[in-house]
């Protein structure tokens, strides 16, 4: 699986957009980009995933560069409850991995009032 | 019901004890997983079950013994653990064909 590089920590003012970057320069053509987050002392929570196109759901937007070597997770209006560790994961074609997730170190996002 | 339920939430056990962690999901997911998470570290994959059969063991010591009695239940049997095995143990499930996994809240295990 391709490796990812994320900043160790970021902060964001409440109500502002939080933009979390992820580098995955060795990603291959059939690897997806997944984002999870983990609020302190809870289990990880799925946020969003994508292959080539930008994606949006009720939680966030995922912007993937045209060369697919990096992506950005956008929380459009961050709240205090969004304070968490955010993990960017790239993995093989969905059908072949049995849902295996290999977590990197992630980014600690702190939203301040 | 989109929950993965883990019991107990907290467990303290001695190094000679035998205990079991339990995980349950009723989403009809075909794949279930155990992860281990040490403090301030990311979760690490331990085991993957697919259709109630063990399909992946990430070189986990034999003092951890998984069991999948049916499609909704996953157990992790613990025996002769060491203090360094103290961690948060997370269970997850997914349809199996993708990586959108649902995680439980975990069992915080302390080995004394």
């Amino acid at each position: 699986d391709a490796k990812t590089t994320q900043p160790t920590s970021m902060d964001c003012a409440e109500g502002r957009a939080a933009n979390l970057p992820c580098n995955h320069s060795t990603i291959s053509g059939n690897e997806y980009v997944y984002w999870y987050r983990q609020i302190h002392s809870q289990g990880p929570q799925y946020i969003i995933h994508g292959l080539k196109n930008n994606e949006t759901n009720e939680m966030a937007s995922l912007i993937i560069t045209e060369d697919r070597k990096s992506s950005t997770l956008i929380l459009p209006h961050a709240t205090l409850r969004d304070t968490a560790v955010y993990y960017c994961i790239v993995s093989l074609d969905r059908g072949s991995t049995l849902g295996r997730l290999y977590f990197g170190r992630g980014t600690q996002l702190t939203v301040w009032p | 019901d989109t929950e993965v339920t883990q019991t107990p939430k907290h467990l303290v056990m001695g190094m000679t004890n035998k205990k079991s962690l339990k995980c349950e999901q009723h989403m009809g997911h075909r794949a279930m997983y155990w992860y281990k998470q040490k403090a301030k570290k990311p979760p690490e994959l331990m085991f993957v079950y697919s259709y109630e059969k063990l399909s992946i063991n990430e070189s986990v010591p034999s003092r951890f013994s998984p069991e999948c009695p049916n499609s909704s239940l996953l157990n992790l049997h613990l025996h002769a653990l060491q203090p360094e095995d103290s961690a948060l143990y997370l269970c997850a499930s997914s349809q199996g064909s993708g990586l959108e996994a649902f995680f439980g809240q975990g069992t915080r295990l302390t080995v004394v």
Side-chain angles (χ1 to χ4, degrees), chain A residues 96-107:
Chain A
S96 66
T97 61
L98 290 176
R100 277 178 281 177
L101 291 164
Y102 294 103
F103 290 83
R105 293 182 177 276
T107 296

Side-chain angles (χ1 to χ4, degrees), chain A residues 68-86:
Chain A
R68 302 207 329 120
K69 293 185 177 182
S70 66
S71 60
T72 300
L73 179 74
I74 301 172
L75 308 178
H77 306 287
T79 71
L80 300 179
R81 288 178 294 180
D82 292 322
T83 293
V85 178
Y86 286 77

Side-chain angles (χ1 to χ4, degrees), chain B residues 33-84:
Chain B
Y33 317 85
W34 281 114
Y35 284 81
K36 173 182 177 179
Q37 186 174 25
K38 302 280 282 183
K40 299 188 187 303
K41 299 288 188 184
E44 296 177 10
L45 182 65
M46 299 175 73
F47 302 105
V48 180
Y49 271 81
S50 176
Y51 290 101
E52 303 167 43
K53 296 270 191 288
L54 180 64
S55 57
I56 295 169
N57 176 341
E58 294 280 352
S59 303
V60 179
S62 60
R63 58 186 183 269
F64 296 91
S65 176
E67 178 198 22
C68 191
N70 60 55
S71 60
S72 298
L73 294 174
L74 187 65
N75 298 321
L76 186 62
H77 303 298
L78 314 172
H79 173 56
L81 294 193
Q82 303 297 311
E84 58 265 30

Side-chain angles (χ1 to χ4, degrees), chain A residues 37-57:
Chain A
R37 73 180 183 183
Q38 187 173 24
I39 296 169
H40 183 62
S41 295
Q42 296 184 20
Q45 176 189 23
Y46 165 80
I47 301 173
I48 199 168
H49 74 277
L51 182 62
K52 294 181 182 178
N53 300 321
N54 298 337
E55 302 288 343
T56 295
N57 63 21

Side-chain angles (χ1 to χ4, degrees), chain A residues 8-96:
Chain A
T8 302
S9 63
M10 297 182 66
D11 58 21
C12 175
E14 189 175 23
R16 304 297 294 268
N19 297 288
L20 291 93
C22 180
N23 287 322
H24 31 79
S25 58
T26 60
I27 192 170
S28 62
N30 60 357
E31 288 184 312
Y32 284 72
V33 179
Y34 281 77
W35 283 84
Y36 277 75
R37 73 180 183 183
Q38 187 173 24
I39 296 169
H40 183 62
S41 295
Q42 296 184 20
Q45 176 189 23
Y46 165 80
I47 301 173
I48 199 168
H49 74 277
L51 182 62
K52 294 181 182 178
N53 300 321
N54 298 337
E55 302 288 343
T56 295
N57 63 21
E58 65 277 6
M59 288 183 68
S61 295
L62 174 60
I63 308 298
I64 303 174
T65 58
E66 194 168 341
D67 63 7
R68 302 207 329 120
K69 293 185 177 182
S70 66
S71 60
T72 300
L73 179 74
I74 301 172
L75 308 178
H77 306 287
T79 71
L80 300 179
R81 288 178 294 180
D82 292 322
T83 293
V85 178
Y86 286 77
Y87 296 102
C88 169
I89 301 166
V90 295
S91 194
L92 293 171
D93 178 73
R94 301 168 79 188
S96 66

